[in-house]
Amino acid sequence: MRKYLLLLVLLISLLQVLAGAEIRGDELWLEVSLASGSSLELRQSGAIRITDSSGIYSRELSGNINISLDSQNSVSLYGIIGEVVQNVAMTDENYYTRESFAWIDSSLVIREESVALVYDSFHSLAEAQAFADANGISRSRIVALPMSGASLVARDSGGFQYYFESPLTIHCTNPVRLDNSGLSWTGEFRIKLVGDRLQINHIINLENYLAGVIQNEIGSGAPVEALKAQAVASRSHAVSMLLYNRHRNDGFDLCNGTHCQVYKGEHLLNNQILEAVLATQSEILTYNGRVVDATYHSSCGGKTDASHLIWRGQPTPYLQGVTCIDEADSLDLSHEADLRTWVNTNTIDPAMSSWERASQNWNRTIRNGALASRAGLDYINRIEIISRGPSGRILNLKLIGNQTKTYNSESQIRSVFGTLPSSLFYIEGNYRNLSNGGISISVGASLRLRGKGSGHGVGMCQVGTLRRAREGCPYTDILGHYYPGTTIRTDWLIHATR
Ligand SMILES: [Zn+2]
Ligand SMILES: [Zn+2]
């Protein structure tokens, strides 16, 4: 077995650099994950150019192309991460280099770090897990290794096969589809082998990436000042996501889902979006010289909330919660009576689109049994709402029946009640005040919830951003309102250091 492994390691070696973020000119280029799998389908009516790792062997293929690992040398390799050395390129074969992002001297820096593997690589995940368990090593240190030199086979619709060594670079000027989502992609791509899966990434600069993000976030028809505010928030959020280094073992910099930000390429792209991105080029929000994680949400419902209450952790000065709709200012939404008054206040204005309207007032009827079963209880006869944040979102709640279940986060509360738009709601019926400041409410066979808002309520409110933009408010004022104390900067990108 060992011999077999070594032979494979000779044929297929660790990819020198795992993710491909780089600075071209003075632009930040990223690898954004589009899909992964044991094989990839590239559907197109034009032609794509595939170039292999040498950069010399290149072919143009037309029609639909299927790319898979050549079964002759099929191998999946896993490793256990040991020592990580910053800024030193190690030549030892048991090291591979991955990128990490850091914020140094008020700038974003792409660093390379050398990662040592404990023992050796493993043929399968199960082998790596068995080794980790036997040696008291945490399974969280097991990673799928990025491999280069693996033989990949591209089959065209006529059944012809072409062999390439991974990683591959692909250029296409015609739209290519990767799945049934209806989304298509053009430009430059990279296909690499990570563990036992093929990973396809879009190679794109940060500004074009943002153009493919903001229409999903705030709507392609939004007024341009709202699009600009969203562009700066999304750019800041993207840079923060890079700094969390959450994908540094995955072979890409950002994913295209809600985990990072939803990225749909040129889908719904229009001139207003391009104008908003261009007019705010390189602008990010900073606080005390550091980029701000400019988180945002659909609709606060009246006031935004404080990040440390919604997500715990240290209070963040620019995410403390602000009033979004002036009429809510005189109310203390953390108190049940004021909260009920506010939820029943009509905040719809005629300029709102349908999704904005839907977030202003919502109702749900939930069967006691369904709620109990999601909570793992037989029945529920009482609910205690212990505390609410400044936006009115419920932060702590108890479901009391044959046992008591306690929920201490807005996301848990939204999910136990069945994927609610927000935790800003009350349960209809009379309540009594508890000595701890909370309230208690008896519940029958069904519960009726009345709520407002959509999303976690922290940072910029998109419905409020749209309203302010329609009223003629410039994007800089919108950002200053939702992220108080922050400064816009453009000079934050510097070249990689070793
Ligand atoms: Zn992600
Ligand atoms: Zn709002």
Side-chain angles (χ1 to χ4, degrees):
M1 189 59 195
R2 292 283 293 149
K3 226 172 183 178
Y4 177 58
L5 251 182
L6 283 174
L7 182 66
L8 290 166
V9 170
L10 287 177
L11 288 171
I12 304 173
S13 58
L14 286 167
L15 186 60
Q16 273 313 293
V17 179
L18 175 53
E22 58 181 328
I23 297 173
R24 297 183 186 174
D26 50 12
E27 292 178 340
L28 176 61
W29 284 70
L30 300 170
E31 288 197 28
V32 180
S33 167
L34 298 181
S36 73
S38 55
S39 72
L40 298 168
E41 286 286 331
L42 280 61
R43 283 177 261 170
Q44 51 147 0
S45 53
I48 57 173
R49 176 156 290 280
I50 305 181
T51 307
D52 80 359
S53 56
S54 66
I56 299 164
Y57 179 63
S58 180
R59 264 202 104 94
E60 197 164 275
L61 301 180
S62 49
N64 295 344
I65 309 292
N66 174 286
I67 296 178
S68 60
L69 190 60
D70 178 14
S71 57
Q72 294 302 304
N73 67 1
S74 175
V75 64
S76 61
L77 290 182
Y78 292 83
I80 298 175
I81 290 181
E83 180 192 25
V84 176
V85 187
Q86 295 288 342
N87 298 332
V88 179
M90 305 294 285
T91 48
D92 189 299
E93 63 183 26
N94 273 341
Y95 281 84
Y96 72 95
T97 307
R98 71 180 178 193
E99 280 181 350
S100 72
F101 296 90
W103 192 260
I104 299 171
D105 296 335
S106 303
S107 300
L108 180 74
V109 177
I110 306 170
R111 295 193 297 192
E112 288 183 356
E113 53 191 27
S114 294
V115 179
L117 300 177
V118 173
Y119 179 60
D120 202 344
S121 47
F122 299 89
H123 187 57
S124 71
L125 184 58
E127 270 181 39
Q129 287 173 340
F131 183 87
D133 294 350
N135 291 278
I137 298 169
S138 164
R139 286 187 176 190
S140 66
R141 283 164 58 189
I142 299 174
V143 289
L145 295 174
M147 309 307 293
S148 73
S151 177
L152 303 187
V153 55
R155 287 182 188 83
D156 68 14
S157 46
F160 292 99
Q161 299 189 358
Y162 307 88
Y163 291 85
F164 299 91
E165 270 190 9
S166 72
L168 312 182
T169 304
I170 295 180
H171 289 93
C172 48
T173 47
N174 294 302
V176 167
R177 285 179 296 123
L178 298 170
D179 53 31
N180 295 320
S181 65
L183 298 176
S184 58
W185 313 89
T186 57
E188 184 180 342
F189 304 84
R190 190 160 295 141
I191 293 180
K192 55 180 80 167
L193 179 65
V194 182
D196 58 357
R197 74 193 156 83
L198 290 173
Q199 172 68 44
I200 182 164
N201 302 333
H202 209 185
I203 315 282
I204 188 149
N205 71 45
L206 177 65
E207 302 301 316
N208 285 329
Y209 162 77
L210 290 169
V213 164
I214 64 175
Q215 92 281 13
N216 309 298
E217 297 295 353
I218 201 159
S220 55
V224 74
E225 292 304 306
L227 291 170
K228 287 183 194 170
Q230 182 67 58
V232 177
S234 284
R235 192 181 288 107
S236 310
H237 190 52
V239 171
S240 299
M241 287 290 144
L242 296 176
L243 288 169
Y244 294 145
N245 288 306
R246 297 198 293 191
H247 289 300
R248 69 174 153 194
N249 292 321
D250 299 335
F252 50 85
D253 301 306
L254 296 171
C255 70
N256 63 343
T258 51
H259 177 265
C260 287
Q261 291 186 91
V262 176
Y263 169 64
K264 292 188 178 175
E266 291 167 26
H267 180 67
L268 297 181
L269 189 60
N270 61 30
N271 286 335
Q272 279 76 17
I273 291 170
L274 291 172
E275 183 192 332
V277 172
L278 196 63
T280 63
Q281 188 171 4
S282 299
E283 292 184 2
I284 60 166
L285 293 167
T286 61
Y287 188 90
N288 280 347
R290 189 182 167 86
V291 65
V292 160
D293 186 352
T295 185
Y296 53 87
H297 60 279
S298 292
S299 175
C300 70
K303 296 180 181 181
T304 66
D305 222 303
S307 62
H308 67 283
L309 296 178
I310 298 291
W311 295 315
R312 309 269 148 65
Q314 291 298 308
T316 307
Y318 53 87
L319 297 175
Q320 288 299 302
V322 297
T323 297
C324 179
I325 303 175
D326 290 343
E327 295 89 304
D329 211 22
S330 59
L331 298 171
D332 180 351
L333 302 183
S334 66
H335 282 114
E336 188 74 12
D338 277 13
L339 182 281
R340 289 186 174 208
T341 303
W342 180 245
V343 167
N344 291 314
T345 302
N346 182 8
T347 50
I348 290 174
D349 80 56
M352 284 179 170
S353 62
S354 58
W355 72 267
E356 290 172 77
R357 284 163 193 261
S359 75
Q360 298 308 296
N361 292 99
W362 50 262
N363 302 312
R364 293 284 188 282
T365 302
I366 297 172
R367 284 192 308 107
N368 190 320
L371 177 61
S373 114
R374 267 195 299 271
L377 298 174
D378 296 338
Y379 60 88
I380 294 166
N381 45 26
R382 205 154 59 79
I383 295 177
E384 289 183 5
I385 294 171
I386 307 300
S387 70
R388 294 179 182 273
S391 76
R393 281 169 173 73
I394 302 172
L395 305 174
N396 308 92
L397 172 141
K398 284 182 183 170
L399 302 178
I400 301 162
N402 56 313
Q403 291 173 53
T404 296
K405 291 275 172 134
T406 305
Y407 296 86
N408 291 318
S409 83
E410 66 95 37
S411 62
Q412 285 179 351
I413 292 164
R414 282 161 71 179
S415 84
V416 75
F417 279 90
T419 332
L420 298 179
S422 76
S423 69
L424 169 52
F425 66 88
Y426 71 87
I427 300 157
E428 279 187 356
N430 294 328
Y431 63 90
R432 87 186 150 79
N433 291 305
L434 299 170
S435 57
N436 62 9
I439 63 124
S440 171
I441 186 158
S442 299
V443 292
S446 76
L447 297 74
R448 183 128 174 101
L449 312 186
R450 297 182 72 86
K452 225 172 171 60
S454 174
H456 51 63
V458 179
M460 190 176 80
C461 165
Q462 292 169 315
V463 166
T465 295
L466 289 165
R467 189 183 64 248
R468 279 159 210 274
R470 288 184 192 116
E471 288 166 356
C473 187
Y475 77 99
T476 46
D477 290 1
I478 295 172
L479 293 166
H481 181 78
Y482 292 108
Y483 306 108
T486 57
T487 310
I488 292 178
R489 276 187 50 207
T490 56
D491 57 335
W492 50 270
L493 183 64
I494 62 168
H495 285 263
T497 56
R498 266 182 188 274

PDB file of all heavy atoms in Angstrom, residues 472-495:
ATOM      1  N   GLY A 472     -33.465  60.948  -2.418  1.00  0.00           N
ATOM      2  CA  GLY A 472     -32.375  61.786  -2.911  1.00  0.00           C
ATOM      3  C   GLY A 472     -31.140  61.792  -2.030  1.00  0.00           C
ATOM      4  O   GLY A 472     -30.238  62.622  -2.212  1.00  0.00           O
ATOM      5  N   CYS A 473     -31.072  60.867  -1.080  1.00  0.00           N
ATOM      6  CA  CYS A 473     -29.929  60.811  -0.170  1.00  0.00           C
ATOM      7  C   CYS A 473     -28.713  60.213  -0.893  1.00  0.00           C
ATOM      8  O   CYS A 473     -28.825  59.163  -1.524  1.00  0.00           O
ATOM      9  CB  CYS A 473     -30.335  59.930   1.008  1.00  0.00           C
ATOM     10  SG  CYS A 473     -29.171  59.877   2.345  1.00  0.00           S
ATOM     11  N   PRO A 474     -27.539  60.854  -0.855  1.00  0.00           N
ATOM     12  CA  PRO A 474     -26.360  60.265  -1.505  1.00  0.00           C
ATOM     13  C   PRO A 474     -25.874  59.010  -0.769  1.00  0.00           C
ATOM     14  O   PRO A 474     -26.078  58.876   0.440  1.00  0.00           O
ATOM     15  CB  PRO A 474     -25.311  61.377  -1.446  1.00  0.00           C
ATOM     16  CG  PRO A 474     -25.795  62.361  -0.471  1.00  0.00           C
ATOM     17  CD  PRO A 474     -27.269  62.160  -0.253  1.00  0.00           C
ATOM     18  N   TYR A 475     -25.198  58.120  -1.518  1.00  0.00           N
ATOM     19  CA  TYR A 475     -24.805  56.831  -0.926  1.00  0.00           C
ATOM     20  C   TYR A 475     -23.867  56.998   0.260  1.00  0.00           C
ATOM     21  O   TYR A 475     -23.884  56.187   1.190  1.00  0.00           O
ATOM     22  CB  TYR A 475     -24.185  55.924  -2.003  1.00  0.00           C
ATOM     23  CG  TYR A 475     -22.764  56.243  -2.387  1.00  0.00           C
ATOM     24  CD1 TYR A 475     -21.693  55.521  -1.845  1.00  0.00           C
ATOM     25  CD2 TYR A 475     -22.480  57.260  -3.288  1.00  0.00           C
ATOM     26  CE1 TYR A 475     -20.388  55.811  -2.201  1.00  0.00           C
ATOM     27  CE2 TYR A 475     -21.170  57.550  -3.650  1.00  0.00           C
ATOM     28  CZ  TYR A 475     -20.133  56.828  -3.095  1.00  0.00           C
ATOM     29  OH  TYR A 475     -18.843  57.124  -3.437  1.00  0.00           O
ATOM     30  N   THR A 476     -23.054  58.061   0.241  1.00  0.00           N
ATOM     31  CA  THR A 476     -22.118  58.257   1.358  1.00  0.00           C
ATOM     32  C   THR A 476     -22.888  58.523   2.656  1.00  0.00           C
ATOM     33  O   THR A 476     -22.499  58.041   3.725  1.00  0.00           O
ATOM     34  CB  THR A 476     -21.179  59.431   1.053  1.00  0.00           C
ATOM     35  OG1 THR A 476     -21.961  60.522   0.546  1.00  0.00           O
ATOM     36  CG2 THR A 476     -20.147  59.046   0.005  1.00  0.00           C
ATOM     37  N   ASP A 477     -24.005  59.274   2.563  1.00  0.00           N
ATOM     38  CA  ASP A 477     -24.826  59.519   3.753  1.00  0.00           C
ATOM     39  C   ASP A 477     -25.540  58.256   4.204  1.00  0.00           C
ATOM     40  O   ASP A 477     -25.707  58.005   5.402  1.00  0.00           O
ATOM     41  CB  ASP A 477     -25.873  60.614   3.467  1.00  0.00           C
ATOM     42  CG  ASP A 477     -25.245  62.004   3.306  1.00  0.00           C
ATOM     43  OD1 ASP A 477     -23.998  62.087   3.397  1.00  0.00           O
ATOM     44  OD2 ASP A 477     -25.991  62.978   3.093  1.00  0.00           O
ATOM     45  N   ILE A 478     -25.981  57.455   3.222  1.00  0.00           N
ATOM     46  CA  ILE A 478     -26.662  56.193   3.570  1.00  0.00           C
ATOM     47  C   ILE A 478     -25.693  55.301   4.359  1.00  0.00           C
ATOM     48  O   ILE A 478     -26.019  54.780   5.426  1.00  0.00           O
ATOM     49  CB  ILE A 478     -27.153  55.464   2.296  1.00  0.00           C
ATOM     50  CG1 ILE A 478     -28.234  56.305   1.596  1.00  0.00           C
ATOM     51  CG2 ILE A 478     -27.673  54.071   2.639  1.00  0.00           C
ATOM     52  CD1 ILE A 478     -28.657  55.770   0.218  1.00  0.00           C
ATOM     53  N   LEU A 479     -24.463  55.167   3.849  1.00  0.00           N
ATOM     54  CA  LEU A 479     -23.466  54.319   4.523  1.00  0.00           C
ATOM     55  C   LEU A 479     -23.110  54.890   5.888  1.00  0.00           C
ATOM     56  O   LEU A 479     -22.965  54.151   6.867  1.00  0.00           O
ATOM     57  CB  LEU A 479     -22.218  54.179   3.644  1.00  0.00           C
ATOM     58  CG  LEU A 479     -22.440  53.391   2.343  1.00  0.00           C
ATOM     59  CD1 LEU A 479     -21.266  53.590   1.386  1.00  0.00           C
ATOM     60  CD2 LEU A 479     -22.643  51.903   2.632  1.00  0.00           C
ATOM     61  N   GLY A 480     -22.980  56.222   5.966  1.00  0.00           N
ATOM     62  CA  GLY A 480     -22.665  56.864   7.241  1.00  0.00           C
ATOM     63  C   GLY A 480     -23.760  56.651   8.279  1.00  0.00           C
ATOM     64  O   GLY A 480     -23.493  56.570   9.473  1.00  0.00           O
ATOM     65  N   HIS A 481     -25.000  56.551   7.803  1.00  0.00           N
ATOM     66  CA  HIS A 481     -26.110  56.327   8.731  1.00  0.00           C
ATOM     67  C   HIS A 481     -26.075  54.918   9.321  1.00  0.00           C
ATOM     68  O   HIS A 481     -26.197  54.746  10.531  1.00  0.00           O
ATOM     69  CB  HIS A 481     -27.446  56.565   8.010  1.00  0.00           C
ATOM     70  CG  HIS A 481     -28.631  56.370   8.899  1.00  0.00           C
ATOM     71  ND1 HIS A 481     -29.036  57.326   9.811  1.00  0.00           N
ATOM     72  CD2 HIS A 481     -29.469  55.310   9.057  1.00  0.00           C
ATOM     73  CE1 HIS A 481     -30.090  56.866  10.476  1.00  0.00           C
ATOM     74  NE2 HIS A 481     -30.371  55.658  10.044  1.00  0.00           N
ATOM     75  N   TYR A 482     -25.903  53.923   8.446  1.00  0.00           N
ATOM     76  CA  TYR A 482     -25.979  52.530   8.931  1.00  0.00           C
ATOM     77  C   TYR A 482     -24.676  52.029   9.552  1.00  0.00           C
ATOM     78  O   TYR A 482     -24.703  51.061  10.320  1.00  0.00           O
ATOM     79  CB  TYR A 482     -26.434  51.596   7.798  1.00  0.00           C
ATOM     80  CG  TYR A 482     -27.872  51.849   7.405  1.00  0.00           C
ATOM     81  CD1 TYR A 482     -28.196  52.472   6.209  1.00  0.00           C
ATOM     82  CD2 TYR A 482     -28.909  51.496   8.268  1.00  0.00           C
ATOM     83  CE1 TYR A 482     -29.517  52.725   5.866  1.00  0.00           C
ATOM     84  CE2 TYR A 482     -30.234  51.747   7.940  1.00  0.00           C
ATOM     85  CZ  TYR A 482     -30.528  52.365   6.739  1.00  0.00           C
ATOM     86  OH  TYR A 482     -31.837  52.621   6.407  1.00  0.00           O
ATOM     87  N   TYR A 483     -23.550  52.652   9.171  1.00  0.00           N
ATOM     88  CA  TYR A 483     -22.251  52.250   9.756  1.00  0.00           C
ATOM     89  C   TYR A 483     -21.609  53.487  10.364  1.00  0.00           C
ATOM     90  O   TYR A 483     -20.624  54.018   9.814  1.00  0.00           O
ATOM     91  CB  TYR A 483     -21.336  51.654   8.676  1.00  0.00           C
ATOM     92  CG  TYR A 483     -21.940  50.519   7.875  1.00  0.00           C
ATOM     93  CD1 TYR A 483     -22.314  50.706   6.546  1.00  0.00           C
ATOM     94  CD2 TYR A 483     -22.120  49.254   8.444  1.00  0.00           C
ATOM     95  CE1 TYR A 483     -22.862  49.669   5.795  1.00  0.00           C
ATOM     96  CE2 TYR A 483     -22.661  48.214   7.706  1.00  0.00           C
ATOM     97  CZ  TYR A 483     -23.037  48.422   6.378  1.00  0.00           C
ATOM     98  OH  TYR A 483     -23.565  47.397   5.644  1.00  0.00           O
ATOM     99  N   PRO A 484     -22.141  54.000  11.473  1.00  0.00           N
ATOM    100  CA  PRO A 484     -21.651  55.281  12.004  1.00  0.00           C
ATOM    101  C   PRO A 484     -20.170  55.228  12.383  1.00  0.00           C
ATOM    102  O   PRO A 484     -19.686  54.226  12.913  1.00  0.00           O
ATOM    103  CB  PRO A 484     -22.541  55.505  13.234  1.00  0.00           C
ATOM    104  CG  PRO A 484     -23.174  54.202  13.542  1.00  0.00           C
ATOM    105  CD  PRO A 484     -23.219  53.411  12.271  1.00  0.00           C
ATOM    106  N   GLY A 485     -19.473  56.323  12.069  1.00  0.00           N
ATOM    107  CA  GLY A 485     -18.064  56.429  12.458  1.00  0.00           C
ATOM    108  C   GLY A 485     -17.105  55.844  11.449  1.00  0.00           C
ATOM    109  O   GLY A 485     -15.890  55.872  11.655  1.00  0.00           O
ATOM    110  N   THR A 486     -17.622  55.290  10.344  1.00  0.00           N
ATOM    111  CA  THR A 486     -16.730  54.674   9.359  1.00  0.00           C
ATOM    112  C   THR A 486     -16.273  55.708   8.321  1.00  0.00           C
ATOM    113  O   THR A 486     -16.902  56.745   8.144  1.00  0.00           O
ATOM    114  CB  THR A 486     -17.423  53.516   8.618  1.00  0.00           C
ATOM    115  OG1 THR A 486     -18.611  54.005   7.993  1.00  0.00           O
ATOM    116  CG2 THR A 486     -17.790  52.389   9.578  1.00  0.00           C
ATOM    117  N   THR A 487     -15.159  55.392   7.667  1.00  0.00           N
ATOM    118  CA  THR A 487     -14.570  56.265   6.653  1.00  0.00           C
ATOM    119  C   THR A 487     -14.409  55.453   5.366  1.00  0.00           C
ATOM    120  O   THR A 487     -14.054  54.276   5.419  1.00  0.00           O
ATOM    121  CB  THR A 487     -13.146  56.692   7.109  1.00  0.00           C
ATOM    122  OG1 THR A 487     -13.245  57.176   8.442  1.00  0.00           O
ATOM    123  CG2 THR A 487     -12.570  57.776   6.223  1.00  0.00           C
ATOM    124  N   ILE A 488     -14.644  56.097   4.219  1.00  0.00           N
ATOM    125  CA  ILE A 488     -14.438  55.419   2.938  1.00  0.00           C
ATOM    126  C   ILE A 488     -12.976  55.597   2.511  1.00  0.00           C
ATOM    127  O   ILE A 488     -12.438  56.700   2.564  1.00  0.00           O
ATOM    128  CB  ILE A 488     -15.396  55.977   1.862  1.00  0.00           C
ATOM    129  CG1 ILE A 488     -16.837  55.582   2.212  1.00  0.00           C
ATOM    130  CG2 ILE A 488     -15.007  55.483   0.467  1.00  0.00           C
ATOM    131  CD1 ILE A 488     -17.886  56.115   1.262  1.00  0.00           C
ATOM    132  N   ARG A 489     -12.352  54.478   2.106  1.00  0.00           N
ATOM    133  CA  ARG A 489     -10.959  54.539   1.619  1.00  0.00           C
ATOM    134  C   ARG A 489     -10.820  53.756   0.325  1.00  0.00           C
ATOM    135  O   ARG A 489     -11.539  52.785   0.100  1.00  0.00           O
ATOM    136  CB  ARG A 489     -10.016  53.917   2.658  1.00  0.00           C
ATOM    137  CG  ARG A 489      -9.600  54.878   3.759  1.00  0.00           C
ATOM    138  CD  ARG A 489      -8.547  54.227   4.642  1.00  0.00           C
ATOM    139  NE  ARG A 489      -7.453  53.661   3.855  1.00  0.00           N
ATOM    140  CZ  ARG A 489      -6.705  52.641   4.257  1.00  0.00           C
ATOM    141  NH1 ARG A 489      -6.907  52.082   5.419  1.00  0.00           N
ATOM    142  NH2 ARG A 489      -5.728  52.188   3.492  1.00  0.00           N
ATOM    143  N   THR A 490      -9.860  54.165  -0.514  1.00  0.00           N
ATOM    144  CA  THR A 490      -9.600  53.416  -1.753  1.00  0.00           C
ATOM    145  C   THR A 490      -8.170  52.864  -1.807  1.00  0.00           C
ATOM    146  O   THR A 490      -7.869  52.031  -2.653  1.00  0.00           O
ATOM    147  CB  THR A 490      -9.790  54.325  -2.997  1.00  0.00           C
ATOM    148  OG1 THR A 490      -8.944  55.451  -2.866  1.00  0.00           O
ATOM    149  CG2 THR A 490     -11.238  54.796  -3.139  1.00  0.00           C
ATOM    150  N   ASP A 491      -7.288  53.329  -0.921  1.00  0.00           N
ATOM    151  CA  ASP A 491      -5.855  52.956  -1.005  1.00  0.00           C
ATOM    152  C   ASP A 491      -5.526  51.853  -0.006  1.00  0.00           C
ATOM    153  O   ASP A 491      -4.786  52.037   0.936  1.00  0.00           O
ATOM    154  CB  ASP A 491      -5.002  54.192  -0.684  1.00  0.00           C
ATOM    155  CG  ASP A 491      -5.347  54.765   0.694  1.00  0.00           C
ATOM    156  OD1 ASP A 491      -6.488  54.538   1.153  1.00  0.00           O
ATOM    157  OD2 ASP A 491      -4.486  55.409   1.313  1.00  0.00           O
ATOM    158  N   TRP A 492      -6.125  50.681  -0.218  1.00  0.00           N
ATOM    159  CA  TRP A 492      -5.982  49.616   0.794  1.00  0.00           C
ATOM    160  C   TRP A 492      -5.376  48.330   0.236  1.00  0.00           C
ATOM    161  O   TRP A 492      -5.198  47.362   0.967  1.00  0.00           O
ATOM    162  CB  TRP A 492      -7.364  49.305   1.373  1.00  0.00           C
ATOM    163  CG  TRP A 492      -8.380  49.069   0.294  1.00  0.00           C
ATOM    164  CD1 TRP A 492      -9.173  50.030  -0.286  1.00  0.00           C
ATOM    165  CD2 TRP A 492      -8.696  47.843  -0.357  1.00  0.00           C
ATOM    166  NE1 TRP A 492      -9.960  49.461  -1.258  1.00  0.00           N
ATOM    167  CE2 TRP A 492      -9.692  48.117  -1.325  1.00  0.00           C
ATOM    168  CE3 TRP A 492      -8.240  46.533  -0.211  1.00  0.00           C
ATOM    169  CZ2 TRP A 492     -10.222  47.128  -2.148  1.00  0.00           C
ATOM    170  CZ3 TRP A 492      -8.769  45.550  -1.033  1.00  0.00           C
ATOM    171  CH2 TRP A 492      -9.761  45.851  -1.977  1.00  0.00           C
ATOM    172  N   LEU A 493      -5.043  48.320  -1.071  1.00  0.00           N
ATOM    173  CA  LEU A 493      -4.530  47.089  -1.663  1.00  0.00           C
ATOM    174  C   LEU A 493      -3.036  47.212  -1.867  1.00  0.00           C
ATOM    175  O   LEU A 493      -2.576  48.119  -2.529  1.00  0.00           O
ATOM    176  CB  LEU A 493      -5.229  46.871  -3.009  1.00  0.00           C
ATOM    177  CG  LEU A 493      -4.883  45.596  -3.768  1.00  0.00           C
ATOM    178  CD1 LEU A 493      -5.310  44.364  -2.987  1.00  0.00           C
ATOM    179  CD2 LEU A 493      -5.556  45.626  -5.133  1.00  0.00           C
ATOM    180  N   ILE A 494      -2.254  46.295  -1.290  1.00  0.00           N
ATOM    181  CA  ILE A 494      -0.824  46.329  -1.590  1.00  0.00           C
ATOM    182  C   ILE A 494      -0.344  44.966  -2.041  1.00  0.00           C
ATOM    183  O   ILE A 494      -0.992  43.955  -1.822  1.00  0.00           O
ATOM    184  CB  ILE A 494       0.044  46.831  -0.422  1.00  0.00           C
ATOM    185  CG1 ILE A 494      -0.069  45.923   0.790  1.00  0.00           C
ATOM    186  CG2 ILE A 494      -0.273  48.267  -0.059  1.00  0.00           C
ATOM    187  CD1 ILE A 494       0.974  46.224   1.829  1.00  0.00           C
ATOM    188  N   HIS A 495       0.802  44.974  -2.691  1.00  0.00           N
ATOM    189  CA  HIS A 495       1.297  43.738  -3.288  1.00  0.00           C
ATOM    190  C   HIS A 495       1.700  42.721  -2.245  1.00  0.00           C
ATOM    191  O   HIS A 495       2.037  43.039  -1.119  1.00  0.00           O
ATOM    192  CB  HIS A 495       2.467  44.057  -4.218  1.00  0.00           C
ATOM    193  CG  HIS A 495       1.986  44.671  -5.497  1.00  0.00           C
ATOM    194  ND1 HIS A 495       1.806  43.931  -6.633  1.00  0.00           N
ATOM    195  CD2 HIS A 495       1.609  45.912  -5.794  1.00  0.00           C
ATOM    196  CE1 HIS A 495       1.340  44.713  -7.589  1.00  0.00           C
ATOM    197  NE2 HIS A 495       1.218  45.931  -7.106  1.00  0.00           N
TER     198      HIS A 495
END
